[in-house]
Amino acid sequence: MKIGSVSLSSPVLLAPMAGITDFPFRKTVKNFGAGLVVSEMVASRTVLEAIKHEKIRQRLHFFEAQREAGPVSVQLVGYDPSIMAEAARFNEQLGVDLLDINMGCPVKKVVNTEAGAALMKDETLAANIIRAVVDAVRIPVTVKMRLGWDQNTQNAASLAKIAENEGAAAVTVHGRTRSQFYEGRADWEAIGDVKKAVSLPVIGNGDVVTETDAQNLLKISGCDAVMVGRGAWGKPWILHHMGKFLAGGTVPPPPTGEELYQVVLAHMALILDYYGAYRGVRIARKHLSWYSKGRTGSAPFRAAVNACDSEGELLKLVEHFKEVEAAD
Ligand SMILES: Cc1cc2nc3c(=O)[nH]c(=O)nc-3n(C[C@H](O)[C@H](O)[C@H](O)COP(=O)(O)O)c2cc1C
């Protein structure tokens, strides 16, 4: 699959998730294999602050390290076409391979500023943002949206057509409306209506957890690729397994015992290296809990994880995975 000039090795992509798809997690997923990993959303104004302030600019040095994990897609969130364009240009100069525009975030703080899913209610502003970003850079630009604002205003097909006309290279559709937040089932048939309306690649998203889910979403929607979010929590290998399954290959069993231990240890080492011990331990807790989900002894393990306060304790806890077998 290709998004503009960028070739993807697999049609299974990791969804952007604020607070979760940081560099350590993206690299862990990419080490197994995934078509693409996308950054957590970055406010376009924050990017511009980074240009102005040397101190913040230094924090963006991690972009070079991100490239180790394969093509880098950065997701921008904002409402002002000229600020979005400037932020896009800055990211292109940093070496980002793709830019994604967030038109799906449902949270009040974002939609109250007319950004995220609020842009689905203002197709003119949405079009102006897409055009401004596309005109500002040479790298491919994608748009991630929901089905619409609410059940009565499902305009994803219309917005996807606008994205196509304004020069976007692909769209991702999460099969829920903004009103649904994360409730109910993602509607894969409705994603199919978007696919039928445009000729650019459409990436389907929502509730893909197993290899069979990935296959079913593609079958039902006719999409070109599938994007996986929560299904990857504690299972960074799942995108690789889905890719194998879709290609008709043999899917290896999920890692257990020593193999699982090595996966978790490498992920924890990346977190500690990236954030330092204090923040790292706190960020690692949720990932460790997800790795243990559904496995024997996960309840007392999670309690110990939440009480863990140092790098040493954390690494000791990781040894737990040497003994655990497959998920129950
Ligand atoms: C904790 C969390 C954070 C998210 N952050 C973002 C984000 O920064 N940008 C975005 O476009 N979508 C974000 N999403 C939405 C996901 O990318 C995805 O569309 C949604 O979770 C549905 O896919 P899933 O059922 O595979 O999780 C987030 C979702 C969750 C659960």
Side-chain angles (χ1 to χ4, degrees):
M1 158 160 192
K2 279 188 99 174
I3 299 181
S5 51
V6 178
S7 296
L8 309 184
S9 56
S10 148
V12 188
L13 285 51
L14 180 67
M17 287 179 283
I20 293 153
T21 49
D22 54 7
F23 169 68
F25 188 62
R26 295 199 304 271
K27 184 152 170 63
T28 304
V29 168
K30 198 74 191 174
N31 281 347
F32 280 98
L36 184 72
V37 294
V38 187
S39 77
E40 310 166 73
M41 62 182 172
V42 192
S44 49
R45 280 189 186 280
T46 310
V47 174
L48 294 196
E49 283 303 300
I51 301 173
K52 283 190 233 132
H53 300 292
E54 181 57 30
K55 236 181 171 178
I56 304 178
R57 201 197 308 226
Q58 277 171 356
R59 279 195 233 147
L60 290 172
H61 281 165
F62 66 81
F63 273 95
E64 258 319 299
Q66 287 187 5
R67 293 180 65 82
E68 284 170 32
V72 175
S73 177
V74 165
Q75 188 187 60
L76 293 174
V77 61
Y79 57 89
D80 183 319
S82 61
I83 293 178
M84 291 287 276
E86 211 179 318
R89 261 192 299 271
F90 180 65
N91 275 291
E92 184 182 44
Q93 280 164 18
L94 284 175
V96 166
D97 303 287
L98 290 149
L99 278 166
D100 189 47
I101 304 175
N102 183 321
M103 297 199 180
C105 181
V107 305
K108 269 206 181 123
K109 207 173 75 184
V110 171
V111 296
N112 284 349
T113 67
E114 296 306 310
L119 289 168
M120 298 206 72
K121 286 202 294 190
D122 189 342
E123 293 186 347
T124 308
L125 179 57
N128 289 340
I129 289 175
I130 299 166
R131 172 56 59 191
V133 173
V134 166
D135 283 350
V137 294
R138 282 185 304 269
I139 52 176
V141 175
T142 59
V143 178
K144 183 163 177 284
M145 63 184 78
R146 287 182 172 239
L147 291 178
W149 182 259
D150 59 24
Q151 206 182 342
N152 300 322
T153 53
Q154 299 203 23
N155 61 331
S158 161
L159 187 61
K161 262 189 252 171
I162 289 170
E164 183 164 42
N165 291 338
E166 300 301 337
V171 294
T172 302
V173 184
H174 173 192
R176 287 187 177 84
T177 64
R178 186 270 174 179
S179 305
Q180 284 180 289
F181 280 77
Y182 296 93
E183 299 295 316
R185 286 286 303 169
D187 186 343
W188 296 342
E189 277 173 27
I191 299 174
D193 294 337
V194 182
K195 170 67 191 164
K196 282 187 212 114
V198 291
S199 48
L200 82 184
V202 177
I203 301 152
N205 167 243
D207 296 341
V208 172
V209 174
T210 64
E211 291 86 348
T212 328
D213 290 337
Q215 189 179 52
N216 287 339
L217 181 143
L218 292 178
K219 207 186 297 171
I220 291 168
S221 68
C223 277
D224 305 274
V226 53
M227 183 175 266
V228 180
R230 292 161 296 173
W233 293 1
K235 292 181 194 161
W237 52 83
I238 196 71
L239 282 86
H240 173 59
H241 288 192
M242 286 172 182
K244 282 231 159 203
F245 185 72
L246 293 175
T250 312
V251 179
T256 55
E258 180 64 25
E259 195 189 351
L260 177 62
Y261 167 69
Q262 292 298 340
V263 171
V264 181
L265 184 63
H267 185 185
M268 295 305 114
L270 280 169
I271 291 177
L272 292 167
D273 184 49
Y274 190 68
Y275 293 106
Y278 184 82
R279 273 190 80 198
V281 166
R282 277 143 192 87
I283 284 165
R285 286 180 188 151
K286 60 177 177 272
H287 291 282
L288 275 187
S289 294
W290 290 331
Y291 278 115
S292 79
K293 207 173 160 208
R295 297 179 194 277
T296 318
S298 88
F301 177 75
R302 280 206 303 272
V305 164
N306 287 332
C308 160
D309 212 22
S310 73
E311 186 174 338
E313 280 174 67
L314 184 86
L315 295 175
K316 192 87 200 116
L317 279 167
V318 175
E319 289 184 18
H320 163 84
F321 291 98
K322 280 184 186 169
E323 280 117 54
V324 300
E325 293 305 320
D328 296 340

